[in-house]
Amino acid sequence: MVRIIYHLGKFFVDGFSVLKDYLLFCNKVLSRFLTFKILNPAIFMVTLRQIYFTGVQIIRVVVIIAIIFGLGLVGTLGKFLMNIGAYQRIGTIFVIVVIREVAPFLTALLLSLRSATAVGAEISMMKLGSEIRSIKIHGIDEYSYLFLPRIFAGMVCSFSLAVIFSAVSITIGYFLLSFQLNITFDYMVLLIFDALNINDIFCFIYKTTLFGFTLMTLPIFTSMGVGKATTDVPIALLKGMMRVFYGLIFVEITGFFV
């Protein structure tokens, strides 16, 4: 019994220590963001490259998955509402299912699988090879030059890809419904905008930006703990992705209260 209590206590103490260090890390990143370090020409160019690597290169995959989702779930839900005579609720269903829930989470999941792992590996190797130490020796702030562009790119791409996912899914869903319902596309868009309120918009922005922030900061923060052993790199990657998973769940749960 004493041993169980000891391990539980150690777990909570270690968890609190990691959380404290992570919040300090986030505070340093946000301080650079609020002082508009991103507008520095060198940092801005790095940010543009990160947006291209993080978001532009994955657009094709996002569109394909959005088409599949639109053909499957959106079309099925629309047909179900039509069968029960509640097709006027199509706008509400699209807002709740696509805009509030599926689009932010699926795009964040895709970005975490593709970009979060890449960023974690990149920072881990830079830490292992003392490249970050060399940058600091030359008077370059690693938070502004290395971390901020990647985190900002994650937030921008998470939001933008979720918008693309929502638009493609709803459009494909409409083409399915147009064969069964005598409604025009502008009428369906009107139904969606009628069902959309300020809370839905705020929830969408909250989820997408916080998803992007979480899936970039957690791998970078974890990778900064890499030591001099090469075995630390895969351990940091695994630990970082597990933390990203917990972070996504946290954002998803808190999104219900928005």
Side-chain angles (χ1 to χ4, degrees):
M1 184 64 182
V2 175
R3 192 168 184 175
I4 294 175
I5 295 175
Y6 167 78
H7 285 294
L8 284 175
K10 186 176 184 302
F11 172 79
F12 284 109
V13 170
D14 292 343
F16 179 78
S17 177
V18 171
L19 179 61
K20 182 192 70 173
D21 293 340
Y22 174 66
L23 292 177
L24 290 174
F25 173 84
C26 293
N27 180 62
K28 291 180 181 180
V29 172
L30 291 174
S31 66
R32 272 70 172 181
F33 180 78
L34 294 176
T35 52
F36 301 100
K37 294 286 187 181
I38 200 78
L39 297 179
N40 181 286
I43 298 174
F44 186 71
M45 289 305 299
V46 175
T47 304
L48 290 181
R49 286 197 295 268
Q50 290 301 319
I51 290 175
Y52 174 76
F53 293 139
T54 303
V56 176
Q57 290 187 340
I58 202 177
I59 286 180
R60 184 186 304 174
V61 178
V62 172
V63 170
I64 292 174
I65 294 178
I67 291 174
I68 295 172
F69 178 79
L71 291 173
L73 185 58
V74 173
T76 302
L77 286 173
K79 185 175 181 180
F80 172 75
L81 291 174
M82 183 192 68
N83 290 335
I84 63 175
Y87 66 90
Q88 298 89 349
R89 307 294 295 176
I90 288 176
T92 303
I93 295 298
F94 280 3
V95 168
I96 295 175
V97 175
V98 179
I99 298 177
R100 283 186 65 104
E101 300 299 333
V102 177
F105 187 78
L106 275 186
T107 51
L109 190 61
L110 289 173
L111 286 175
S112 65
L113 292 174
R114 184 185 185 277
S115 299
T117 52
V119 168
E122 182 183 19
I123 300 299
S124 295
M125 295 304 297
M126 293 181 71
K127 184 69 165 55
L128 182 67
S130 299
E131 294 180 51
I132 295 179
R133 181 171 174 270
S134 299
I135 288 175
K136 294 171 67 176
I137 290 175
H138 286 85
I140 300 174
D141 180 28
E142 70 273 25
Y143 284 88
S144 299
Y145 188 73
L146 290 179
F147 304 158
L148 182 60
R150 289 161 174 79
I151 295 168
F152 184 76
M155 296 168 66
V156 171
C157 293
S158 177
F159 175 82
S160 303
L161 292 176
V163 171
I164 294 173
F165 186 99
S166 301
V168 173
S169 296
I170 290 173
T171 303
I172 295 300
Y174 163 75
F175 284 126
L176 278 179
L177 296 174
S178 63
F179 292 107
Q180 307 171 55
L181 292 174
N182 188 23
I183 60 173
T184 60
F185 184 73
D186 58 339
Y187 177 70
M188 190 189 72
V189 172
L190 181 63
L191 290 177
I192 293 173
F193 276 100
D194 285 342
L196 195 66
N197 56 50
I198 190 65
N199 288 336
D200 298 318
I201 297 174
F202 182 74
C203 179
F204 181 84
I205 297 174
Y206 169 82
K207 282 188 174 183
T208 52
T209 54
L210 202 56
F211 274 145
F213 184 83
T214 300
L215 63 88
M216 287 298 179
T217 53
L218 284 171
I220 294 174
F221 167 74
T222 306
S223 298
M224 289 299 292
V226 170
K228 296 182 179 180
T230 55
T231 53
D232 289 344
V233 174
I235 294 174
L237 286 176
L238 178 60
K239 189 181 296 184
M241 292 311 298
M242 287 302 299
R243 289 174 177 174
V244 167
F245 176 73
Y246 296 140
L248 295 183
I249 291 177
F250 172 79
V251 176
E252 183 65 26
I253 292 174
T254 56
F256 287 115
F257 301 99
V258 176

